[in-house]
Amino acid sequence: MLVARESLPQLPYSVDEIYGLKNTNRSTTKYPVYSRTYASTYRIYGKSEFDGAKPQVVIVEDSNSGYEFFAVLCKNSGIPCISAGGKSNIYDIALNRKKRDILVIADGAAFGPEMEFLVSLQRFKRIKLFLPESFEWLVLKSGLFPDKRTQEMLRSPASYIESADFFSCEQFFTHELIEKTRGTFLTYSKSRLNESYLAEHTRGAIEKGLPNLGILPQTEQ
């Protein structure tokens, strides 16, 4: 556990693991009492609510397989889809776009350092954030891999991740998907999306795990 006031861009930490500390030992005076206590914690960033409203533009964190998948969905719905080429570029792209209704899709498992600045833009633009653990995580939980080990791993990834081998959860899920699909028609590559993931059955399974982001054709929402 790290306690700090500033973001730590050198570390890939999850959006869901950023907490505030509340002093539960405050006196009745205007000055807090500092003593050894078990302070309560609260999650700083909540999850975006999606009502199916169609965004004017979609910004996807990466430029590889995840972007290729979402770019196809957006193209079918006539929505511009932009690759940010990395999480640290999303803020500048969102800031400089004239469009106000923006959907950002990024890997929540490592997006923590970018949240403070991006959320600040919500004062001026209608920015919705879809932050799954990673695209590979979405594929693994789509139902395409119903085996017991995969399901147990998704329920409790911390029990399977060895920090000496993986610097982030995103790296772990990528490794799992590559190994799970090796030698099959779903063979996965991070650098380029296997066209099998765009086939109707496979794509449909992944789409079912998405919230109502407004990027699917109306008949598929």
Side-chain angles (χ1 to χ4, degrees):
M1 180 178 70
L2 300 177
V3 179
R5 291 182 180 273
E6 302 297 328
S7 298
L8 301 172
Q10 66 271 34
L11 297 177
Y13 52 91
S14 172
V15 170
D16 293 332
E17 299 303 327
I18 304 175
Y19 298 90
L21 294 175
K22 182 182 292 184
N23 184 359
T24 57
N25 197 31
R26 187 177 294 274
S27 69
T28 56
T29 68
K30 65 178 181 178
Y31 299 107
V33 174
Y34 294 102
S35 59
R36 183 173 298 177
T37 183
Y38 292 101
S40 63
T41 62
Y42 59 94
R43 184 169 290 171
I44 293 180
Y45 300 113
K47 297 185 181 297
S48 292
E49 297 293 330
F50 299 102
D51 56 8
K54 187 175 181 179
Q56 293 175 302
V57 64
V58 174
I59 302 172
V60 181
E61 173 187 341
D62 65 30
S63 57
N64 301 315
S65 292
Y67 167 70
E68 291 180 46
F69 181 84
F70 286 109
V72 169
L73 301 189
C74 291
K75 182 179 179 180
N76 292 340
S77 297
I79 303 171
C81 186
I82 300 170
S83 168
K87 63 183 180 178
S88 60
N89 298 325
I90 292 178
Y91 173 83
D92 286 335
I93 293 174
L95 176 65
N96 293 316
R97 297 296 296 184
K98 293 182 180 179
K99 306 295 187 182
R100 296 188 68 245
D101 292 304
I102 300 173
L103 171 64
V104 171
I105 301 176
D107 295 341
F111 200 67
E114 316 303 324
M115 283 296 288
E116 181 179 2
F117 291 110
L118 191 59
V119 168
S120 69
L121 285 182
Q122 292 179 326
R123 293 176 293 173
F124 313 106
K125 299 188 177 188
R126 290 186 289 272
I127 297 178
K128 293 292 185 68
L129 304 173
F130 177 49
L131 304 173
E133 293 291 291
S134 68
F135 174 68
E136 292 79 16
W137 176 82
L138 282 175
V139 176
L140 287 166
K141 71 181 290 289
S142 65
L144 293 170
F145 310 101
D147 60 282
K148 182 178 179 181
R149 182 190 179 281
T150 298
Q151 297 308 307
E152 289 180 348
M153 180 271 292
L154 291 171
R155 282 193 293 270
S156 181
S159 300
Y160 291 80
I161 300 174
E162 174 53 64
S163 59
D165 298 327
F166 304 102
F167 190 52
S168 69
C169 292
E170 188 272 339
Q171 290 183 354
F172 169 74
F173 291 124
T174 299
H175 173 268
E176 286 292 301
L177 184 56
I178 289 174
E179 292 302 312
K180 178 70 63 177
T181 60
R182 189 182 300 277
T184 73
F185 77 101
L186 288 175
T187 296
Y188 183 76
S189 169
K190 181 75 172 177
S191 60
R192 185 174 182 180
L193 186 64
N194 180 342
E195 290 187 1
S196 295
Y197 287 94
L198 300 177
E200 183 176 356
H201 169 72
T202 310
R203 191 189 74 228
I206 301 171
E207 288 176 355
K208 287 180 181 179
L210 303 178
N212 198 357
L213 302 173
I215 62 174
L216 300 179
Q218 290 300 312
T219 56
E220 297 183 44
Q221 295 289 349

